[in-house]
Amino acid sequence: MQVCEIINVGTELLLGEILNSNAQFLCRELAAMGISVQRVNTVGDNPQRLREDFTLALSRSDIVILTGGLGPTQDDLTKEVVAEALGLPLEEDAKQMQCIEEFFRVRCQPCVQSNRKQAMVPKGCTVLYNENGTAPGIYIAMDRKIVVLLPGPPRELKHMFNHALAPLLQQCGDGVIVSHHLRTMGIGEGRMAELCGDFLDSTNPTVAPYAKDGEAYLRISAAAACKTQAEDMCACTIKKLQNVLGNYAYSVDKPLEQVVLELLHAQDKTLAIAESCTGGSICKRLTDLPSASRVFGWGFVTYANEAKQNLLNVSRETISRFGAVSAECAQEMAQGALARSGASLALAVTGMASPADDTNKPAGLIFLHATDGTRHKSLKLETGRSDRAYNRNVAAKQALDLVRQLLI
Amino acid sequence: MQVCEIINVGTELLLGEILNSNAQFLCRELAAMGISVQRVNTVGDNPQRLREDFTLALSRSDIVILTGGLGPTQDDLTKEVVAEALGLPLEEDAKQMQCIEEFFRVRCQPCVQSNRKQAMVPKGCTVLYNENGTAPGIYIAMDRKIVVLLPGPPRELKHMFNHALAPLLQQCGDGVIVSHHLRTMGIGEGRMAELCGDFLDSTNPTVAPYAKDGEAYLRISAAAACKTQAEDMCACTIKKLQNVLGNYAYSVDKPLEQVVLELLHAQDKTLAIAESCTGGSICKRLTDLPSASRVFGWGFVTYANEAKQNLLNVSRETISRFGAVSAECAQEMAQGALARSGASLALAVTGMASPADDTNKPAGLIFLHATDGTRHKSLKLETGRSDRAYNRNVAAKQALDLVRQLLI
């Protein structure tokens, strides 16, 4: 098995300013490719220490992956240090220079000298072109070792890893590990684990329970000689687990909003959304997906009571009698959104995301309502928490699950 | 300044199963105490590699902090490896043994032999008793070096750091480091760095440029004997940088939505938001903040053309003549949102977040418009990218910046 070492370069990491999510991403992806990561090192923007660490890593590993320090400024030194340690001169890559000039041209910003430095690459390397930024990645194969440089911003790194580096590294691993997530809603981690019983003791595939913000899921991982075989092993176990979990299991890998969008599309239905405490976050989740416009056309972020009345026809009496945070208000919001938009279904959320002084309703009390005009699904959440982000996230997920329940 | 190195022990980290939040926590806390973390290393549950890394770290640092590998199972070896490397025998700590027995007694669980192993500590060390688990922390001061072992679970580690370790380390640090971010909009990292010129060479405070998804910022860090002095040094440099950067610099540390919200509140104004391609994400950003309801009441997610016409009074002619993705449509959306809501200002966004088949408009072409009814600010973005998340993120930031520009 090939041995790999990762070096994350950046003083901001050592100051604790950012969380090192790149390390986790790379470790997970490399493990899945059958490449053994034995060490992850973080070092600051200091050329001497970086040189020491790189030289040591190269002496004991087959693959060394460095991240960060590829920017245009003078403290970005990863490329220079690595090229020098390997005895490779830097030369301008014409295609990369074009990419950089184009990058600034479309943004109507000047391309300054420091940006031109980013087109310099070690002689003989394979350039991993960056579709999301101006720093190219670098892949160097020499003396039976592989050295890779990736940009630090996670979005750039992930895209480059998946599209440019993974195909090159695939040849290095022996055997593959395939993992999938069976996602559930409406059931806690404990109950989910109970239902799965003996599956949690199996060794290949392994089945492990996880919980995250109101959602519980199982990770199924199979190791095999080839991808097809590992996929088949996963599929077989997932099928058995789906039988056990029934409608709680809403997807394999796919996020809930994708499942809802596909159900709507398959049934040729549209959805209107009325949000108060979630403040647009359900609309945002659905429109994160490129095909949202097929099924979603109208969203109402009615944060103010006047907006609820004016746009959604919620009655003044309902608000004064039950309050804006009430099952009655949620239902009228959904009915108003349905009537106003002409959609086939409407979803409404109103509640307390944070504690507030001007009401006796507790933070985490949230009312959800979904309807197609005939059938209704409603839910009252009481999270008992003051954490605004948590409450909004859980409410958005539960709201989308209400729509899923109306559709299945 | 004391030099520190952190070693995180755990195969689960190298498999990417968990995010290394302990490293970020420790780095941030140690920096604030004036202790310079120069390296963070992650190594698996492998005694040989752990011994190598520990010996190397101890040779070049004043303080070595190890986390994880203190559990009851046989792959938990940190304590054993460190004690052996330092030539210290392990002996049972009577108080820790009592704690462990008590821990299991109150839980009505049996205390097995493997748990008793957790009461063994290196001779002469200071035991950091664990109020949240059975693994004690260890503090060893010898040969002018300090070695610390902390448990891996973040809740146990943080509590032990704050309550037991920080008071011991406080004596080691000399002075404190304070960092702030000067955030800018409308200027690239390269151009920002050029304007800052010599500031980037200064050593205390240091000034370092960063870029993130359409936003560029400077990190200013000062080291001093006390917090007040370090804050004063930062403030002085920040003031000079603000003079250089003018209105491009929109805040120190605060996110853009917070700045906009505070400007609106200070001027007693309200904002209505009409979103097409950003699909609710601007409303979401603003309502992520608990005080959003003071200044925001109405949001329109008009994804469909009929919604633009019906809710915002965009004329059919504008859409058929210029298209929904046009400066004209953005302006009518903003004017419609202003009229409909009665807010003091309105903001509108319409554009292409992804490539689409049914139009000849390119992905990344986005029109923004902000108005108070009299004055107008508009912007045409051409990101040149197909990345939906990037386009929506940049559009949301630029849109909020248009409102900021109307307000300053």
Side-chain angles (χ1 to χ4, degrees), chain B residues 9-239:
Chain B
V9 186
T11 301
E12 69 278 19
L13 289 163
L14 293 181
L15 288 172
E17 286 176 358
I18 54 173
L19 193 55
N20 192 350
S21 61
N22 284 341
Q24 183 185 27
F25 169 79
L26 291 173
C27 285
R28 199 162 42 194
E29 296 300 316
L30 291 164
M33 294 166 85
I35 295 172
S36 167
V37 177
Q38 290 197 341
R39 285 181 173 96
V40 177
N41 308 301
T42 306
V43 65
D45 301 313
N46 175 296
Q48 187 195 328
R49 286 196 283 277
L50 175 55
R51 191 175 302 114
E52 283 170 22
D53 288 10
F54 172 65
T55 309
L56 182 61
L58 194 66
S59 72
R60 60 193 180 189
S61 303
D62 305 302
I63 304 171
V64 180
I65 300 179
L66 299 100
T67 72
L70 301 181
T73 65
Q74 55 190 0
D75 63 353
D76 291 307
L77 291 161
T78 308
K79 198 164 56 183
E80 289 73 11
V81 166
V82 167
E84 197 201 331
L86 295 174
L88 299 173
L90 291 170
E91 31 184 62
E92 186 174 303
D93 183 76
K95 182 175 166 194
Q96 179 60 32
M97 193 63 237
Q98 272 180 4
C99 294
I100 292 174
E101 282 167 354
E102 178 69 8
F103 184 91
F104 285 100
R105 202 187 54 73
V106 299
R107 283 166 184 73
C108 302
Q109 287 173 3
C111 176
V112 297
Q113 194 54 39
S114 59
N115 291 113
R116 294 180 183 275
K117 165 185 136 164
Q118 297 190 288
M120 301 295 286
V121 302
K123 185 175 175 150
C125 77
T126 302
V127 180
L128 312 173
Y129 295 100
N130 188 342
E131 295 175 31
N132 299 295
T134 55
I138 310 282
Y139 179 93
I140 303 166
M142 66 185 284
D143 303 334
R144 319 190 90 189
K145 304 262 183 181
I146 291 170
V147 176
V148 180
L149 281 68
L150 296 174
R155 206 170 54 93
E156 299 178 28
L157 178 138
K158 285 180 189 174
H159 189 271
M160 190 179 287
F161 184 95
N162 291 330
H163 294 85
L165 183 58
L168 291 169
L169 289 180
Q170 225 104 46
Q171 304 147 15
C172 310
D174 30 30
V176 295
I177 299 174
V178 166
S179 291
H180 290 290
H181 292 109
L182 183 59
R183 303 172 67 144
T184 74
M185 278 294 292
I187 184 174
E189 186 187 5
R191 177 78 184 122
M192 177 186 72
E194 263 190 4
L195 285 176
C196 297
D198 292 346
F199 283 103
L200 303 184
D201 299 324
S202 67
T203 51
N204 190 18
T206 58
V207 178
Y210 293 91
K212 209 176 144 186
D213 288 355
E215 197 175 335
Y217 61 94
L218 295 162
R219 189 191 64 214
I220 297 95
S221 297
C226 69
K227 192 159 185 277
T228 316
Q229 197 188 340
E231 288 286 4
D232 287 349
M233 289 163 69
C234 280
C236 178
T237 298
I238 287 170
K239 206 171 168 189

Side-chain angles (χ1 to χ4, degrees), chain A residues 11-25 27-29 31 37-45 48-50 52-53 56 60 71-76 103-104 106-110 112-115 131-133 153 155-156 210 219 276-293 296-304 306-308 310-311 340 354 388 392, chain B residues 13-25 27-29 31 37-44 48-50 52-53 56 60 177 179 181 186-191 193-194 197 200-201 208-211 213 217 219 221 276-293 296-304 306-307 310-311 340 354 382-385 387-390 392:
Chain A
T11 302
E12 68 279 18
L13 288 163
L14 293 180
L15 288 170
E17 288 176 356
I18 53 173
L19 192 56
N20 192 350
S21 61
N22 284 341
Q24 183 185 27
F25 169 80
C27 285
R28 200 162 40 194
E29 296 300 317
V37 177
Q38 290 197 341
R39 287 180 173 95
V40 177
N41 309 300
T42 306
V43 64
D45 301 313
Q48 189 195 327
R49 286 195 283 276
L50 174 56
E52 283 170 23
D53 289 9
L56 182 61
R60 61 191 179 189
T73 65
Q74 56 190 354
D75 63 352
D76 291 306
F103 184 91
F104 286 98
V106 298
R107 282 167 184 74
C108 304
Q109 287 176 5
V112 297
Q113 194 55 39
S114 58
N115 292 112
E131 294 175 32
N132 299 294
R155 208 171 50 89
E156 298 178 27
Y210 292 89
R219 191 191 63 208
S276 185
C277 66
T278 45
S281 55
I282 304 175
C283 293
K284 185 215 171 263
R285 272 167 205 244
L286 210 60
T287 59
D288 279 340
L289 305 169
S291 44
S293 59
F296 172 75
W298 301 59
F300 306 83
V301 185
T302 52
Y303 225 55
E306 302 75 55
K308 293 181 185 73
N310 181 302
L311 295 177
R340 189 72 199 237
S354 308
R388 184 174 182 83
R392 281 159 52 99
Chain B
L13 289 163
L14 293 181
L15 288 172
E17 286 176 358
I18 54 173
L19 193 55
N20 192 350
S21 61
N22 284 341
Q24 183 185 27
F25 169 79
C27 285
R28 199 162 42 194
E29 296 300 316
V37 177
Q38 290 197 341
R39 285 181 173 96
V40 177
N41 308 301
T42 306
V43 65
Q48 187 195 328
R49 286 196 283 277
L50 175 55
E52 283 170 22
D53 288 10
L56 182 61
R60 60 193 180 189
I177 299 174
S179 291
H181 292 109
I187 184 174
E189 186 187 5
R191 177 78 184 122
E194 263 190 4
L200 303 184
D201 299 324
Y210 293 91
D213 288 355
Y217 61 94
R219 189 191 64 214
S221 297
S276 185
C277 66
T278 45
S281 55
I282 305 175
C283 293
K284 185 215 171 263
R285 272 167 205 246
L286 211 59
T287 60
D288 279 339
L289 306 170
S291 45
S293 58
F296 172 74
W298 301 60
F300 306 83
V301 185
T302 52
Y303 225 55
E306 302 74 54
N310 181 303
L311 295 177
R340 188 75 201 234
S354 309
E382 290 174 283
T383 70
R385 293 210 209 177
D387 180 337
R388 184 173 181 83
Y390 176 87
R392 281 158 53 99

Side-chain angles (χ1 to χ4, degrees), chain A residues 193-248:
Chain A
E194 258 186 16
L195 286 176
C196 296
D198 292 346
F199 284 103
L200 302 184
D201 299 324
S202 67
T203 51
N204 190 18
T206 57
V207 178
Y210 292 89
K212 209 176 147 188
D213 289 356
E215 197 174 334
Y217 61 94
L218 294 161
R219 191 191 63 208
I220 297 95
S221 297
C226 70
K227 192 158 184 278
T228 316
Q229 196 187 342
E231 289 286 5
D232 286 348
M233 290 164 68
C234 281
C236 178
T237 298
I238 286 170
K239 204 169 169 192
K240 290 177 195 162
L241 289 166
Q242 283 171 325
N243 279 334
V244 170
L245 294 167
N247 274 338
Y248 291 124

Side-chain angles (χ1 to χ4, degrees), chain B residues 307-386:
Chain B
K308 293 181 184 74
Q309 291 168 220
N310 181 303
L311 295 177
L312 300 173
N313 211 22
V314 173
S315 75
R316 185 184 300 269
E317 198 206 329
T318 298
I319 291 178
S320 64
R321 193 163 155 205
F322 304 105
V325 177
S326 64
E328 291 78 6
C329 183
Q331 176 162 355
E332 288 190 22
M333 285 170 69
Q335 286 168 330
L338 196 70
R340 188 75 201 234
S341 65
S344 350
L345 284 87
L347 169 66
V349 180
T350 181
M352 302 294 301
S354 309
D357 296 333
D358 56 351
T359 168
N360 55 1
K361 307 213 169 169
L365 174 67
I366 300 165
F367 294 92
L368 317 172
H369 196 98
T371 182
D372 59 8
T374 312
R375 293 178 312 138
H376 296 265
K377 289 265 180 192
S378 60
L379 188 66
K380 176 186 181 184
L381 290 179
E382 290 174 283
T383 70
R385 293 210 209 177
S386 303

Side-chain angles (χ1 to χ4, degrees), chain A residues 153-179:
Chain A
R155 208 171 50 89
E156 298 178 27
L157 178 138
K158 285 180 189 175
H159 189 272
M160 190 179 286
F161 184 94
N162 290 331
H163 293 86
L165 183 58
L168 291 170
L169 288 180
Q170 223 104 46
Q171 304 146 15
C172 309
D174 34 26
V176 295
I177 299 171
V178 165
S179 292

